[in-house]
Amino acid sequence: MVYLQTKFPQFPEYTIFISLYRGVQKEVIEGVKTGLISGDEKYDFCFLNTTHIISVEQLYNAVHKALLNDLNESKVAKTLNTEIILNLSPINNIGDALRRFGVNENQSDVIVIKVLPSGTNEAGLDKLNNSVIELLGGSSVSNPTLNDDIIFSDLVDMKKLKKVYKLNDAKIDFSQSIQNDISKLVIACCHLRGC
Amino acid sequence: MTDRLVDEAKLLLRNVSFQIVSQGAEALVFKTNIHPYFNDDQDESSYIIKYRPRKPYRHPKIDKSITKSRTIGEVKFMFKLAKAGIRAPRVVSTDYFNGIIWMEHIGYSLPDGKESTLKNWLWYLEKVRGESLSEEVQRICVEVGYLIGDLHLNDMIHGDLTSSNIMLDKKGPALIDFGLSSYSALPEDKAVDLYVLERAMNSTHADYASEYNSWLLKGYEKAHSDGHYSKQANKSFVEIIKRLEDVRLRGRKRSMIG
Ligand SMILES: Nc1ncnc2c1ncn2[C@@H]1O[C@H](COP(=O)(O)OP(=O)(O)O)[C@@H](O)[C@H]1O
Ligand SMILES: [Mg+2]
């Protein structure tokens, strides 16, 4: 049972929870989608597929930017969860962002993000993680640590990622890791969405 | 005046402590050890925050839109540089609404405590060490010229090439400050870019400018003949230098008149 938690210096009032679940069944994902559409509170999380995610840093960047937009009152989406998804995307269209980054029936790896009040303690986070595991199929899903290694070796689809972020012609700096270099490019792309 | 601007920045950058690096006409530049969203205790990296404050003499709406477009323009240029493999700071985060860019910090502190811009490094060597024409200086100038050649071969114009807008570190030179940058394939625009640098070198490093400038051009030529780019590159170098001579002549005439 593992999840990441972090805080942003500019937003001490929040704790960010991020976790990975693998082996989520098709029917469960259909249920998540239905729950999201009907606004069921049980599903008040940011649910992502992993195809176009290259690093943990990319996820944090999107959450940070969503909180910044919230603070500046320049949020485009109605909810913070959707604003996070939009801020992962290089394309300034919520429907398109949901299609590319949201959960879908053909992908059994799911990343879940939740922005919580910073008072949330360890026990609260454990409980939250348990409830997400229940929601996604209980004992049939695994909950490995989300980190850059598992992202790069198991989760990301580099070909699709490069296509979505239009990085096929990018010159990769081989003096650092490819993952790190592309992650930085992807983040800049997100900051230029709609510009 | 500046205190007020710094207070404004503190308000926007809640809980982020920073030092002031520079205060230009358009922007304040801060240095911090805090990453906006990816802090880890082992990481000792620094970051630069470039802040374009509000200009009280402009209409607030127009002011917001000017600030926003300059900030976006700079971020876009940094992204294109990264994509083309030309050394410059990576974008970490942005807040266009408030005129803020967070980026990677490039460089180190010189023995006199100053940031390692090309200018500070050359000044340090000129004033403290008296080693201005060493092989190392020549090598660095050639590398800087090469970098600018790379930039122009990608049809990107810096717009404000000075020795303060070039950072040095272990990996070599990197470009910064893209508030006036643009895109053009015209030899004229590239020649003007080079001329701006030449003038800046003449005024900032008067004693050694002719050596520095000739090494810079040597590196610039090298980028064009290195074979990374098309065969046209050599031809375009000749064209740019021809234009540079015209631009110099125009500059001289202008300074004779007024
Ligand atoms: N990414 C960076 N890394 C290190 N130093 C920087 C960086 N960006 C700016 N600086 C420092 O701040 C100074 C001013 O920044 P610059 O972007 O050139 O702003 P201005 O438009 O005011 O000239 C630079 O000359 C350099 O000393
Ligand atoms: Mg400058």
Side-chain angles (χ1 to χ4, degrees), chain B residues 108-142:
Chain B
Y108 55 94
S109 286
L110 292 165
D112 60 4
K114 298 220 174 87
E115 294 274 319
S116 60
T117 61
L118 177 62
K119 170 184 154 177
N120 289 341
W121 184 67
L122 289 174
W123 274 18
Y124 171 73
L125 295 181
E126 285 161 21
K127 291 189 174 144
V128 183
R129 306 256 306 267
E131 293 172 5
S132 296
L133 300 178
S134 68
E135 256 172 48
E136 193 190 5
V137 174
Q138 176 169 359
R139 181 176 56 78
I140 298 287
C141 286
V142 169

Side-chain angles (χ1 to χ4, degrees), chain B residues 8-139:
Chain B
E8 278 177 21
K10 279 187 183 147
L11 223 59
L12 293 170
L13 299 162
R14 314 196 282 169
N15 308 307
V16 176
S17 53
F18 54 75
Q19 301 140 252
I20 302 171
V21 174
S22 125
Q23 338 178 354
E26 224 213 334
L28 297 178
V29 175
F30 309 126
K31 187 176 172 181
T32 179
N33 296 316
I34 294 172
H35 191 290
Y37 51 83
F38 204 57
N39 280 294
D40 100 45
D41 298 337
Q42 271 96 299
D43 189 10
E44 283 173 17
S45 310
S46 302
Y47 304 91
I48 288 284
I49 302 170
K50 187 163 181 176
Y51 171 48
R52 289 181 164 83
R54 291 184 294 122
K55 303 256 189 212
Y57 55 81
R58 285 199 297 237
H59 183 284
K61 265 204 177 131
I62 295 170
D63 184 54
K64 274 265 182 251
S65 93
I66 293 176
T67 301
K68 198 172 162 186
S69 78
R70 298 238 169 105
T71 312
I72 289 171
E74 184 154 20
V75 170
K76 203 175 270 178
F77 206 81
M78 284 165 72
F79 170 64
K80 296 213 161 134
L81 289 170
K83 216 172 147 180
I86 297 168
R87 276 203 82 209
R90 293 305 183 98
V91 180
V92 172
S93 188
T94 64
D95 179 356
Y96 301 133
F97 185 77
N98 292 306
I100 290 173
I101 306 173
W102 293 65
M103 63 184 98
E104 240 174 33
H105 173 266
I106 294 183
Y108 55 94
S109 286
L110 292 165
D112 60 4
K114 298 220 174 87
E115 294 274 319
S116 60
T117 61
L118 177 62
K119 170 184 154 177
N120 289 341
W121 184 67
L122 289 174
W123 274 18
Y124 171 73
L125 295 181
E126 285 161 21
K127 291 189 174 144
V128 183
R129 306 256 306 267
E131 293 172 5
S132 296
L133 300 178
S134 68
E135 256 172 48
E136 193 190 5
V137 174
Q138 176 169 359
R139 181 176 56 78

Side-chain angles (χ1 to χ4, degrees), chain A residues 8-130:
Chain A
F8 302 140
Q10 288 167 286
F11 298 99
E13 61 272 43
Y14 300 117
T15 292
I16 322 302
F17 165 98
I18 302 188
S19 193
L20 169 66
Y21 309 92
R22 308 196 71 181
V24 184
Q25 306 277 311
K26 206 171 174 156
E27 305 76 60
V28 174
I29 294 191
E30 279 163 6
V32 170
K33 278 187 146 179
T34 315
L36 286 172
I37 290 163
S38 67
D40 185 340
E41 269 192 27
K42 250 182 17 196
Y43 295 91
D44 184 17
F45 294 94
C46 175
F47 290 98
L48 306 170
N49 80 73
T50 63
T51 308
H52 305 108
I53 302 301
I54 185 152
S55 66
V56 175
E57 172 188 53
Q58 177 193 3
L59 298 169
Y60 284 149
N61 172 61
V63 180
H64 178 263
K65 185 73 180 182
L67 289 174
L68 203 57
N69 291 346
D70 193 32
L71 185 71
N72 289 339
E73 293 176 5
S74 60
K75 223 154 88 277
V76 176
K78 262 196 234 138
T79 68
L80 191 61
N81 291 332
T82 311
E83 186 72 13
I84 294 170
I85 295 187
L86 180 63
N87 277 286
L88 281 167
S89 177
I91 298 153
N92 202 19
N93 176 305
I94 294 179
D96 185 273
L98 288 170
R99 221 170 315 114
R100 279 182 218 282
F101 293 89
V103 277
N104 85 53
E105 289 81 352
N106 304 316
Q107 279 150 308
S108 60
D109 297 320
V110 174
I111 291 173
V112 171
I113 303 178
K114 174 107 179 161
V115 176
L116 299 155
S118 66
T120 317
N121 60 15
E122 212 67 24
L125 291 170
D126 284 352
K127 200 168 144 222
L128 185 82
N129 194 37
N130 279 329

